[in-house]
Structures are given as structure tokens and as C-alpha cells.
Amino acid sequence: MATNQEEVKLLGIVGSPFVCRVQIALSLKGIEYKYQPEKLDNKSDLLLKYNPVYKKVPVFVHNEKPISESLVIVEYIDETWKDHPILPAEPYQKALARFWSKFIDDKCVAAAWKAAFTLDEKEREKSVAESYEALQFLEDELKDKFFGGEEFGFVDIAAVFIAFWIPIIQEVAGLQLFTSDKFPKLYKWSQEFSNHPVVKESLPPREPLFAFFKARYESLAASK
């Protein structure tokens, strides 16, 4: 647990998969923290002060020292609070975890967003194909219950977008990106991971998130 000498704050917005990553890590470690909600359209002076480079959430503040970028924050949390390790101890396995986590951001997140929220048919088809290819790599990589083995770890936390957000945005957009038929191992993993008590308490409520993305999608469709 964080002691009284340690001031821990998290600047975030509800519904962000990147903020959720940090919340899962904090919950796993049992760290108490102050959550400061932000608004995308009206960024606070504190956010601009703590993250002047990207002006984005999440921002993690430990004893007035700010850290940005969700995977960097999760790694910092893991190195600072040693209980319930998130990254593997062995250097090669640690490097692999970093590789696959970056792969998720570069290949899965970007392609799935585009597939759901691009209305141009050719662009959408291309993004759907890219999503399938990226998810297949992860399907092949998943050897155990979790990417981290019997307990979830760094790659699992990075992949929360796949477990919780993709099912919502594909339903909104009428797509079949991620199904139990196409990716049986990954789909089973997504159920196990989303229902893990530590993860479940960190996930945002599904219905408001679904409504938010549906409104966004309908707004895009109307402006076409």
C-alpha cells in the first residue's frame, strides 16, 4: 500500500482504455490514489502543467513527479511497488512483453479504431484486414490462461482494449472483428481477463460507453 508519505494522483477520463491500464495496475498493487477527472474539450491547467508535451491523459503523479503514456506509467508502478509483479523478471521475457505491448498499440488499437470509425469502404476493408492480421498474431502468441501465464501481466493489461473496448465498438459499427469463432483462444482470454476481480473493478460501466460510441458513430454517419 502507498504510505502517507507517498502522494499518488491519476489524471484521467472515464472510458479511456489507456487510463484503465493504469487503474488495473494500481488496483493489482493495492495502491491508494486520488483520481482527478479531466475533460477532453476543456483540459485543466494541471493537465497542461503535468503533460505539456502531449496534453493527454493518463498522467500519473507520484510525489509531484508526473509521468505520461500508459505503458510507461504501468512499468514505473511495477518498478516502484514490488508486490504482485506485472513485468517478467527474466530479461528476455521482459523484452518480449514490451514488444507485444507496443504491437498492441501500433497494430491492434489503431486498426480497430479505423475499422469502426472510418466510413470510407476501402479504408474500412483495409483496417478490418489489418485488425484480423494483428489479432491472429496475438491468438498464436497466447500460450497460457493469460499472456503473463497463470496470472495476468503487462501484455494482458496492454490488451484491455481488445478485451473490453473492441466488443463495444464492433457492435456499434456492425462489424465482426473479434469473435469466438475467429479467435477462440483470444476470446476465451478476453472473458477470463474482463471477469478477473481486479480488472472488473477497474473497467468503466459498459452502457454509458456504448452510448457514447454509438452517438459518435451516428454523428459521423450523418456528416458523410
Side-chain angles (χ1 to χ4, degrees), residues 11-14 36-44 47 55 57:
L11 282 63
I13 56 168
V14 175
Q36 176 166 321
E38 290 287 334
K39 290 181 179 175
L40 288 178
D41 56 352
N42 186 18
K43 294 170 182 176
S44 73
L47 174 60
K55 303 177 179 66
V57 293

Side-chain angles (χ1 to χ4, degrees), residues 98-118:
R98 288 180 177 134
F99 171 86
W100 285 112
S101 298
K102 189 173 187 315
F103 172 85
I104 287 163
D105 274 358
D106 290 350
K107 298 293 185 182
C108 299
V109 175
W113 277 127
K114 278 187 187 173
F117 295 107
T118 300

Side-chain angles (χ1 to χ4, degrees), residues 60-207:
F60 182 74
V61 188
H62 183 208
N63 296 333
E64 283 306 306
K65 293 181 289 189
I67 303 159
S68 305
E69 297 299 297
S70 61
L71 294 177
V72 176
I73 296 168
V74 171
E75 200 159 337
Y76 175 84
I77 289 168
D78 195 39
E79 289 176 352
T80 305
W81 291 274
K82 301 297 184 186
D83 289 348
H84 303 291
I86 293 170
L87 274 155
E90 198 272 319
Y92 180 67
Q93 294 303 321
K94 188 179 289 186
L96 282 182
R98 288 180 177 134
F99 171 86
W100 285 112
S101 298
K102 189 173 187 315
F103 172 85
I104 287 163
D105 274 358
D106 290 350
K107 298 293 185 182
C108 299
V109 175
W113 277 127
K114 278 187 187 173
F117 295 107
T118 300
L119 297 177
D120 181 88
E121 278 304 315
K122 280 191 175 177
E123 278 297 310
R124 173 173 276 201
E125 281 174 22
K126 183 184 170 195
S127 298
V128 167
E130 286 172 3
S131 297
Y132 286 157
E133 184 182 29
L135 291 170
Q136 189 60 56
F137 274 117
L138 291 172
E139 172 83 5
D140 296 340
E141 180 61 22
L142 185 59
K143 308 290 193 295
D144 299 299
K145 181 178 178 181
F146 298 112
F147 288 98
E150 281 305 301
E151 298 295 331
F152 73 80
F154 195 64
V155 179
D156 302 280
I157 292 172
V160 69
F161 174 80
I162 296 167
F164 189 73
W165 271 261
I166 285 184
I168 294 175
I169 63 173
Q170 72 178 4
E171 187 179 340
V172 164
L175 295 172
Q176 294 286 301
L177 288 179
F178 178 40
T179 64
S180 55
D181 291 343
K182 285 191 181 79
F183 307 105
K185 285 195 296 178
L186 201 57
Y187 189 84
K188 188 181 178 192
W189 161 84
S190 75
Q191 301 298 301
E192 295 270 7
F193 184 60
S194 297
N195 287 303
H196 189 289
V198 167
V199 177
K200 200 169 186 177
E201 72 174 19
S202 305
L203 293 172
R206 190 183 190 278
E207 290 313 309

